[in-house]
Amino acid sequence: MKVLKAKFNSYRRPEYRMATLVVEDGLSAHVVKRALDERALPHLQGLAEKCQRTQETYPRIKVLRPTIDGGEAITGLETSPSLQAVLAGFLKRGDDEGFRKEVKRYVETVSAPVKTVDDWWASPGFQEVFGAVEESDMTALPCLNPANIDLDFSNIHVAEGSDPYYRLFDCEWTFDFAVPLGYVLWRSLSRFEKSFRIPMLHGWRASNLYGLAGIEESDVRLYESFERGFQRFVFGETLYYGIPDAIVQEKPWRNFDDLVSWGQVTQGHYEAATARAAAIEQAYEHSFSWRVTKPLRALTGGVRRLLGR
């Protein structure tokens, strides 16, 4: 078995730490997800069920469902181009009309099962994952339920001339409660714009992209708050309280994945990822303690000096 590419999510909370590998075995290639922590096994083993729910929600999309084998989830590698690559191709060729039509097709497909929900913010599940919502934002909105919030352009492949037209890989972040449709669409568009900067190079500002999905600039503040809550849910408070530079010096601050490309992944990579995850947990405890106690010690010292003690 040859490992073509690997990604280690060792910076997530223990329940969600997984490795994703693209492997080649003879004439076929597969995507293999493995738990990096035994606490992540329930999350990994729930992937097939999440794919099933997503398939039932989107009959116009072919969902690539994994086979669960102990601590692994194995999915056939999709060879058709990703929607991300298709959209980038339109922009590079200067085909704005083709770009608009493809985004509109995506929006219509994702929006198909939408229903208006009056109290989406009241769900305990929503509050756990995305956080509390301000009273001014408690309005009825079109929602998806179940909601796969990771309908990212890189996770969707385009099978030109086939039915279904879209192939979806990865239903990891599918939830059994209502999530506003606008957030799911904004998340995909904003990640496309921010991660690759291709739209910016061809005259597309973020507001232009959002407009294709009917998203107003005034909506973005709410969706950004959802995303901050979701990142806390996945990564824990380490994302916000900070990690000592010695642990993350080899990577940009917001890049929490370790990538290994075009080489054989050894057991050492798994051991390193596991050790790093443990180090991050310890670093967070130290960092949080330091951030809380240092100001208190400084305040106490100042009071003592004022009292002449």
Side-chain angles (χ1 to χ4, degrees):
M1 180 181 72
K2 181 181 180 182
V3 178
L4 303 180
K5 184 179 292 186
K7 179 173 72 171
F8 296 88
N9 298 118
S10 54
Y11 291 87
R12 292 179 176 180
R13 288 168 55 191
E15 307 96 295
Y16 307 118
R17 289 178 190 149
M18 293 198 295
T20 303
L21 301 91
V22 179
V23 302
E24 188 177 65
D25 188 4
L27 299 177
S28 62
H30 300 84
V31 178
V32 179
K33 286 182 176 286
R34 292 178 181 169
L36 284 175
D37 189 298
E38 63 179 12
R39 289 168 287 184
L41 283 173
H43 182 64
L44 181 140
Q45 291 168 350
L47 292 178
E49 183 183 349
K50 290 178 179 180
C51 287
Q52 177 62 35
R53 293 202 302 271
T54 301
Q55 184 65 82
E56 292 169 356
T57 304
Y58 291 107
R60 292 171 57 192
I61 298 176
K62 180 180 179 180
V63 178
L64 306 177
R65 283 174 258 186
T67 299
I68 307 299
D69 184 6
E72 292 187 341
I74 305 168
T75 309
L77 182 66
E78 179 59 45
T79 57
S80 57
S82 69
L83 178 57
Q84 177 176 287
V86 171
L87 290 172
F90 282 127
L91 293 178
K92 289 176 180 178
R93 294 191 298 272
D95 186 354
D96 280 3
E97 185 59 28
F99 179 80
R100 285 191 183 90
K101 285 183 177 179
E102 194 62 50
V103 172
K104 287 288 187 181
R105 185 202 293 255
Y106 166 82
V107 171
E108 290 172 2
T109 302
V110 172
S111 305
V114 75
K115 293 181 180 178
T116 299
V117 179
D118 294 330
D119 57 351
W120 50 270
W121 64 85
S123 162
F126 184 92
Q127 293 180 14
E128 178 188 5
V129 176
F130 300 104
V133 175
E134 295 181 9
E135 187 173 354
S136 59
D137 295 320
M138 295 179 179
T139 58
L141 289 175
C143 291
L144 298 171
N145 186 8
N148 182 338
I149 70 166
D150 210 17
L151 296 173
D152 205 66
F153 296 157
S154 60
N155 288 336
I156 293 177
H157 291 255
V158 175
E160 192 69 48
S162 299
D163 186 22
Y165 179 75
Y166 286 143
R167 309 281 195 268
L168 173 63
F169 169 78
D170 201 350
C171 299
E172 181 179 2
W173 302 112
T174 300
F175 299 106
D176 280 328
F177 50 79
V179 176
L181 168 69
Y183 166 65
V184 177
L185 297 175
W186 167 84
R187 194 168 191 266
S188 296
L189 289 165
S190 65
R191 293 178 79 176
F192 178 64
E193 186 268 330
K194 291 177 181 176
S195 298
F196 300 93
R197 297 294 177 188
I198 294 172
M200 296 291 285
L201 295 175
H202 296 270
W204 283 84
R205 295 186 298 115
S207 58
N208 302 135
L209 286 172
Y210 300 158
L212 294 177
I215 298 171
E216 303 288 341
E217 288 194 45
S218 57
D219 299 326
V220 173
R221 175 194 59 81
L222 178 63
Y223 301 151
E224 287 179 340
S225 73
F226 292 172
E227 185 64 17
R228 287 193 294 272
F230 176 65
Q231 294 300 321
R232 286 192 184 96
F233 176 76
V234 175
F235 291 103
E237 295 297 333
T238 52
L239 179 63
Y240 293 91
Y241 287 113
I243 305 170
D245 292 340
I247 295 179
V248 294
Q249 61 185 354
E250 78 280 5
K251 61 181 74 273
W253 171 238
R254 287 193 176 275
N255 179 9
F256 290 91
D257 296 335
D258 296 329
L259 296 175
V260 183
S261 300
W262 303 110
Q264 185 69 34
V265 175
T266 67
Q267 182 62 28
H269 286 103
Y270 292 101
E271 293 171 355
T274 303
R276 185 160 40 252
I280 290 168
E281 288 186 48
Q282 294 174 5
Y284 164 62
E285 293 174 3
H286 175 270
S287 179
F288 181 76
S289 175
W290 179 82
R291 288 171 179 265
V292 171
T293 60
K294 185 176 181 181
L296 291 177
R297 289 174 181 172
L299 177 61
T300 302
V303 171
R304 286 178 177 171
R305 284 193 294 273
L306 287 173
L307 295 176
R309 296 180 182 177

